[in-house]
Amino acid sequence: MLSAYLLLAAAMFAVGLFGVLTRRNAVGILLGLELMLNAVNVNLVAFAHFGAGPAGWVLALFTIAITVTEVAVGLAIVIVIFRVRRTVDADHLNLLRG
Amino acid sequence: MTAEALGLGGVAVLVLGASLGVVLARNLFHSVLWLALALVGTAALFVLLHAEFLAAVQVLLYAGGVVTIVVFAIMLTERLVGDTIRQTNRGILAGAVVSAAVFLAVAGTILRAPRAPAPAATALTTATLGRAILTEWVLAFEVLGILLVAALLGALYLARAEE
Amino acid sequence: MNGVPVLSLVTATPFVAACLIMLVGRTRPLAVRLIAVGAATLTLGLSVYLYAGYDATTAGFQFLEQYPLVRALGITVELGVDGISALMVLLTAIIIFAGVFASWTVRVRDQEFYALLLTLVTGVFGVFVSLDLFVFFLFYEIAVLPMYLLIGIWGSTGEIRPQGILAWAFRETGVGSKEYAAMKLTLYLLFGSAFILVGLFVLYFAGGAQSFSLVTLSEASFTPATQRWVFLALYVGFGILAGIWPLHTWSPDGHASAPTAVSMLHAGVLMKLGAYGVVRVAMTLLPDAAQYWAPLVGTVAVINVVYGAFSAMAQTDLKYVVAYSSVSHMGLVMLGAATLTEAGLNGSVYQMFAHGIMTGLFFGLVGLIYEKSHTREINRMGGFGRRMPGVAACFTLGALSSLGLPGLAGFVAEILTFLGAWQSSSRWWLFPAVLGTLLTAIYVLRVAKRIFWGPLVTGPHGAWADLPDAQGPEWVALVFLSAILLVFGLVPGLVLSRVDPSVVTLLDRIGVLP
Amino acid sequence: MGFWLLGVQAQAQGGGGVREVTVTLPWLIQAGPAPLATVGVLVDALSAAMAALVTLVATLVQLYSLGYLADEAPPALGRYYFYQSLFAFAMLGLVFAPNFLQLFVFWELVGLCSYLLIGYYYQRPAAARAAVKAFWVTKLGDVGFLVGIVLLWGATGTFEFGTLFRAAAAGTLPANLALCMTLIYLGAVGKSAQFPLHVWLPDAMEGPTPVSALIHAATMVTAGVFLVARAYPLFLAAPGVLVLIAYVGAFTALLAATLALGQNDIKRVLAYSTVSQLGYMMTALGAGALAAGVLHLLLHGFFKALLFLAAGAVIHAVHTNDMWTMGRLARAMPKTTIVFVVGTLALAGVPPFSGFVSKEAILGGVWEAGLRGPFVLLSVTVFLTALYMFRAVFVTFFGARAAEGHPHEPPGVMMGPLWLLAVLSVAGTALGGAALGQTFPEFLGQGRGATLPHGPGWLTPFSVGLALAGLLLAWLVYQRGTIPAAALTRALGPLPAWAAQGYGIDALYLAIYRGGVLALGRLIGWIDRYLVDGVVNVFSAWTLRAGADLRQLQTGRAQDYLYGVTAGMLLVLVLWRLWA
Amino acid sequence: MLLALELGVAALAVLVFLLGLSGRGGRQRETGLAVAVGLAGLYALSLLIDARGPLFDGAYIVDPLAVFLKQVFLLATLLAVIGGLGRPDGVERHRALEYHLLMLTSLLGMMVLASARELVLLFVAFELMSIPLYVLAGFVKKDARAVEASLKFFLVGSLSTALLAYGLSFVYGVAGSTRLDVVTRAVAEGDPLLILGLLLVLGGVGFKIAAFPFHMWVPDTYEAAATPFVAWLAVAPKAAGFAVLLRVFVEHAGPPGSLWAGTAALLGALTIVAGNLMAIPQTDAKRLLAYSGIAHIGYMLLGIAAFSAHGVAMLLFYLVAYLFSNMGAFMVVEVVTQTEGSSALRTFRGLAQRSPALALAMLLFLLSLGGIPFVVGFWAKLYVLWAAAQAGLYGLVLLAALLTVVALFYYLLVAKQMYVDLPARPTAVPVPPALALVLAVSAVAVVLLGLYPGPLVDLALRAAAPLF
């Protein structure tokens, strides 16, 4: 049963990764990251549920909080970028390269 | 057991479907809405795993908070750009292959791993969680607090329009 | 004088002088030179004292000094010399003494030039007097690095036009420019030092001695298999510096581009340092491998001799001729070592010294000619003997020593090497080696004839009317080196009395003494 | 300079004597009781006689030079006397060498002096060319010499003549002795201008004439002969090598004589004549007639020096070397003519001149040794010698046309040495015999009662007849014109044309030098630059390009960076999979 | 007492906050000075107090390794803060509160990380360290390049965080606890899921230390962000990343050591090759240093690949060497950039003739980075190779040594610009006093440690010994 949860989480993680890798829009990439971290939480809670101890819940809780902060900071950066560059298309953000 | 499996199956389809919606939707707003759905679905998973408190946190903080911020951000940038934000994908094939490879690697390991016979399912009680946080993980909790303050400060600094 | 740390003094003096020079300020060129001369004279004096005071009746290391550096890892600054290294110290002191005078006319950023030059010399001294291989390596690196700036800043650019299918690579790397030469030399030598370092590590660990001290390590024993490949690593590493074929190509480019004193020092001393490393480290510590690889070392050496001579013949750039002649002569040095005979090794060490002086003289002269005529192309010269008879005379002397004319130091080295070669296990080495001297006679006299003999050609400003002979301080360098060539050619006992006991000790270790 | 030389001479002669004396000091030391090599002095009859020749001729030439080079600038003159004195020193060192190594050392040094003196007029391209040519060609032989002594040392462990001779006497010489001696003989081939290394000597005439007299006629070029004589006990132990020496010598003698016939330059005539005479000496040694060969060496030293110096006086007077622009000089320079003719007669072997004695002895020795081939060659050479020498005499001093300008006799400082040498050329043997009180072979230590070989009874008339025939032919052709020179040339077919080209031997060397050595040099130079170093440069260029290429990974697009992270992750996972 | 340093940093952060509230936070000099003094005091404190021991039942440990690392963090931050004082008018000046506060919180994260022996704490601390960095990278928020760099940094960092968290979830799940000592026991059983988790963690940390191919954010971020910050970013967080590697993989996941060592060897080799090769064509000093920094990480990874007390000690020594050399080099770039307005390599032309001392300092730093004797970098590189050789990784040692040659190529190119080429302008380059101080300290340290590395080696050996 645990495996089922883990596989589900893995699938979610992979879908999130797909979004991260393919989205052109920075906010879209951020959403993909959300999915990946969400998958982590599923993992944690599933493990905790199947007897791995309370740490899983704690970690899940913390992960949620950290995800929120990441999103906040990430969006702040996106907004700054918008302000300066008038685009959020990750493809166009290549002033720096080489 | 079967009920749980059935529930899991249903939620899994919901969550995965929503996730795919997040990464494939053309309109950013739709993506966000799909995300909200995926997060709520995850909350449902938590319920299935007897972690109701976390489910609540998930719905309130995540599905509520995060999605709200994102929408805010989108509104803000939309206002700045003056155009509805469209989004497309690039390199779908490569992304799919790489993601699939990661999935296969992880899933393969999960299936390969020797699993002890399913241990007694444990339920989460709010009290357990509260006690754990304030005893064993108090230091982490403090650090998390500082992290939240710092992140807030940083995000504020960045997002604030300069005088 | 027993308590005086002569070796530390010799090693440190140039560096202290370099620091002084940097402090003196850039507006006082004479003070800079005087400090350099003072330091060079002091080291020369100390080296002579060292060499004269070396007790030839016992072959071991003398003038020992010890200071711990990193106790945890067993690294100690351990100094000492035997006959071979004492001679090398003397050689270094002689060359730098001459080099300081030879670069008297450096006008551009002379303060930095002298400071770097002297720093370089500290490294060279350090290598020759270190008994701890680690410290040896450390100094080795110091001896390599200043070269980059010395060539990069004060070097000269030759005229090489890339042709053929590899031209793209030549253009990409910038063949011919001094920047290219500086980079090539530095990197090539550091590349070699990578091999040395690996070899030293294996010595440190595999012997179970956990020490870098030559003395301690020489009591450790290594399995034949270990010996073989460590020897190879050390041979390649040191061999690069010694200019072994086919890893020699840094040397012509580097020496041709380098300023006079640097070429003198580099071809005169640093290449010897490579050969010295092979003898001192590889052959001493890995006696079985020395025997096992001797055929390879010697065969490569005779390739060097003949190949270098032919290459020298093909050059039209004077500095390249001299540089390739170094490649050829270093072959003799390595050949002598590879014979594993008393005569051969004596010859090898003698050749290190003789070639050091000779090539120092050569590069000093070439530098003079270049400085006064502003060309390195042999084909643009002719009849210079009329305008610069002194230079011509010294050049001829050097040329004669290089082709092994008796009465000059080169001959003693060559005859000893030949005798050793014929006694060695691969007798046929004698023939290419002797052929090499014939080829040397051809290219070196051909060049001398081209430059100095015949009617005076027309230069860029009329008939080279403004071409002066050597002047003032330059004479010091030329006469000094020429005199040494002569003295050590006539009285070989000066060298052999000190070197032979050490050579016999080494051969005894290798176990090839009859 | 001259005084110093006299000192050396005095010292050398003071040491002279029949009793053999060897004094050595260690030179190359090594572990163990005996040094690897020594320096020292070996005085015996041979070296004493040789030293006497060297010092005498050297002194006379120095004197002569005072007059000959009076017009030179002081610095150049200093150089000249420095080289001359250095030469005398080196030559004596060679002569007194007690071992092969020292002999080789001074052998090279005299070569050096030769090189420097040939190149005395270094601004002249021809002189410069001749100097290096001389050095290279002799060096070619020296390489063999060096290898020979190294091999001999390898087999016997010594360079010392004394030790080697004792071994020869005891019959304990190594098996490869013939090889060693052949190689050592190569040195003599180069130095004494034997075929095929004779090509440098005619060109060496670019040097000042006194130099030619001293180095390239009387002393240095005979060092090869001296070498063979010095190591004679060893050569005797390798009879095959002696036969080779004889044949090469005889062939050289004839070859050079024919070449001398085609020369227009008076000094080159004399040079080829020297080559030819060296061939005689070598043949004598090869035939076992040591005393004859050495005697000819000494006497030749006198009359050839005389000839050169006299020729020098002529050149000094007319400022040209070309015989055909001279003529009837006998009128303006009668004394010079006399001494030149004396020298010529001695050279041609006309009795009673000194050359006659030694030449007879050589022919006798060769006949007695049963070397018929060389004997024939030498006999022809006797005829040719008289022919080409008198050709020179008639053309230069008599002939039909008068030389241009106002030739005059040389000053006393030049004439004095000429007279002295003329006396020695006339009566050298007699004077020597009287001074020594014994025969020359006795002097050389060949035992009491030893005499020069004299061959069968018909030999004397035969050889004198040949010489006179040559003289007569020369008179008919070049003085009387009875037989036109052109007719003579036609009669000989293409031979004269070839001879004028030195039989193409020079061209052959040049071809080997240019097409072989220099071309190979260029080839290897190319290989070095474009292959050996090319590899280095290609690797460097590849590294540079790899950097530039890898840099393309850094596209600047954020998602490619994310791919990077994912790829790294996958890489680690793959490694894990492979690990098991 | 065991938490004295962490509390000190927190107190300093509060102080900065209070200064900000009092309206003075906008003034850089005062805030910066306060922070600098505070950090210096804390550094001194770290040398004085000798408290060692576990806290929270072993979840938090103050051992020699932790102390060593914390001193590195403190020192790096101290130098960076002083260096920041030498900046002319800029956003840091007006927003000194945020700037220093973010730095201090990040520092706090690192310090906790160095001691954490428990996964939750480790994760939170890791984030506390990372998130402020994203903001700091884009601190000059009007600079299009800086914010772009910030976004890239953020995206790569977040993805790595996801990997790390995902890995941690497996580790926890299989081990049944988040305590590392429990993990050690679980690892012994060799559950592949646990290994997978640990490898994912390795990937997550790989981003932090910028191993190839997790490194790609580095050049962009370094090039665009403010130089004193970059100097710090190049050192402190990387040291923290190594802290995680040491704690998790060396100290606690020992048994399948060969796998970690092998992975470290592979990543190390790749990083050395890629970093050095990509540095060659660079024309910007900061970018060059970025790539060279990547290569250095590869060398440090060899210390882990050696998987021995020696290896770890040498890695620690390397960190210190790298700290001084790299920060020094970046500060020189900062000085030159202030005058020339660009960090392009060509601005260094003829520096030796314009400001000999500055050029000499840069040369020392470059030589140290290049691993030349008598400056500390030599020992660093040597010790790491030594450790690797001791572990029998001769091939790797040879590769590393060969690429050192490549590294010298581009360092020498910079040296060439400074020494060989002629300056465009003969005027001296003015050095702000704060930067001069940092440069002097770094240069002296580089030379002193180069001449006498013994004590530091001993210290590193003491710090590393308990891990095995």
Side-chain angles (χ1 to χ4, degrees), chain E residues 137-162:
Chain E
F139 206 81
V140 190
K141 58 186 176 177
K142 282 183 176 160
D143 181 349
R145 296 147 63 87
V147 288
E148 179 186 321
S150 171
L151 179 70
K152 287 173 176 172
F153 188 14
F154 170 78
L155 289 177
V156 177
S158 301
L159 179 60
S160 302
T161 299

Side-chain angles (χ1 to χ4, degrees), chain D residues 491-528:
Chain D
L492 290 172
L495 219 57
W498 292 353
Q501 302 297 318
Y503 298 121
I505 296 171
D506 272 308
L508 182 67
Y509 278 109
L510 198 63
I512 292 173
Y513 172 64
R514 291 231 175 105
V517 180
L518 290 189
L520 194 59
R522 266 195 301 278
L523 176 68
I524 288 183
W526 184 89
I527 287 174
D528 190 62

Side-chain angles (χ1 to χ4, degrees), chain C residues 73 109 134 142 145 152 190 205, chain E residues 372 374 382-383 386 408 419:
Chain C
L73 303 172
R109 299 162 77 178
F134 192 78
I142 294 183
L145 275 164
L190 290 173
F205 293 118
Chain E
I372 298 305
F374 292 118
L382 182 87
Y383 284 152
W386 186 317
L408 275 163
Y419 279 88

Side-chain angles (χ1 to χ4, degrees), chain B residues 54-112:
Chain B
L54 278 178
V57 172
Q58 175 88 0
V59 171
L60 287 176
L61 197 74
Y62 231 16
V66 170
V67 169
T68 313
I69 315 177
V70 175
V71 171
F72 258 120
I74 294 171
M75 301 291 273
L76 200 61
T77 47
E78 191 197 12
R79 187 168 59 79
L80 284 170
V81 183
D83 184 19
T84 313
I85 293 167
R86 314 282 313 167
Q87 61 165 9
T88 46
N89 293 19
R90 76 180 183 98
I92 292 180
L93 193 63
V97 168
V98 170
S99 312
V102 170
F103 175 74
L104 288 179
V106 176
T109 315
I110 292 172
L111 293 176
R112 211 155 48 89

Side-chain angles (χ1 to χ4, degrees), chain A residues 1-8 10-25 27-35 37-38 41-43 45-58 60-73 75-80 82-83 86-88 91, chain B residues 1 4-5 8 12 15-16 19-20 22-25 28 31-32 35 38-39 42 45-46 48-51 54 57-58 61-62 66 69-70 73 76-77 80-81 85 87-92 95-96 98-99 102-103 106-107 110-111 115 119-124 129 132-133 137 140-141 144 147-148 151 155 158-161:
Chain A
M1 206 60 201
L2 173 61
S3 300
Y5 283 100
L6 297 184
L7 286 175
L8 173 59
M12 209 166 164
F13 191 83
V15 172
L17 180 63
F18 173 78
V20 166
L21 292 177
T22 56
R23 278 310 201 191
R24 279 181 202 273
N25 186 305
V27 179
I29 297 174
L30 218 54
L31 298 184
L33 280 170
E34 297 293 308
L35 279 179
L37 286 165
N38 204 47
N41 281 344
V42 172
N43 241 16
V45 175
F47 273 124
H49 177 68
F50 289 98
W57 292 312
V58 176
L61 195 62
F62 281 24
T63 308
I64 291 174
I66 286 172
T67 311
V68 172
T69 59
E70 270 197 355
V71 169
V73 169
L75 286 174
I77 293 174
V78 168
I79 287 171
V80 174
F82 248 141
R83 213 177 272 145
R86 301 278 145 175
T87 177
V88 283
D91 279 4
Chain B
M1 196 65 193
E4 197 188 335
L8 174 61
V15 169
L16 286 180
S19 302
L20 283 172
V22 173
V23 296
L24 292 174
L28 195 49
S31 276
V32 178
L35 178 69
L39 294 179
T42 312
L45 276 179
F46 290 174
L48 278 178
L49 291 166
H50 304 282
L54 278 178
V57 172
Q58 175 88 0
L61 197 74
Y62 231 16
V66 170
I69 315 177
V70 175
L76 200 61
T77 47
L80 284 170
V81 183
I85 293 167
Q87 61 165 9
T88 46
N89 293 19
R90 76 180 183 98
I92 292 180
V98 170
S99 312
V102 170
F103 175 74
V106 176
I110 292 172
L111 293 176
R115 282 271 67 83
T122 327
L124 166 70
L129 195 60
I133 289 176
W137 284 286
F141 188 63
L144 182 67
L147 169 61
L148 288 177
L158 284 180
R160 184 168 51 192

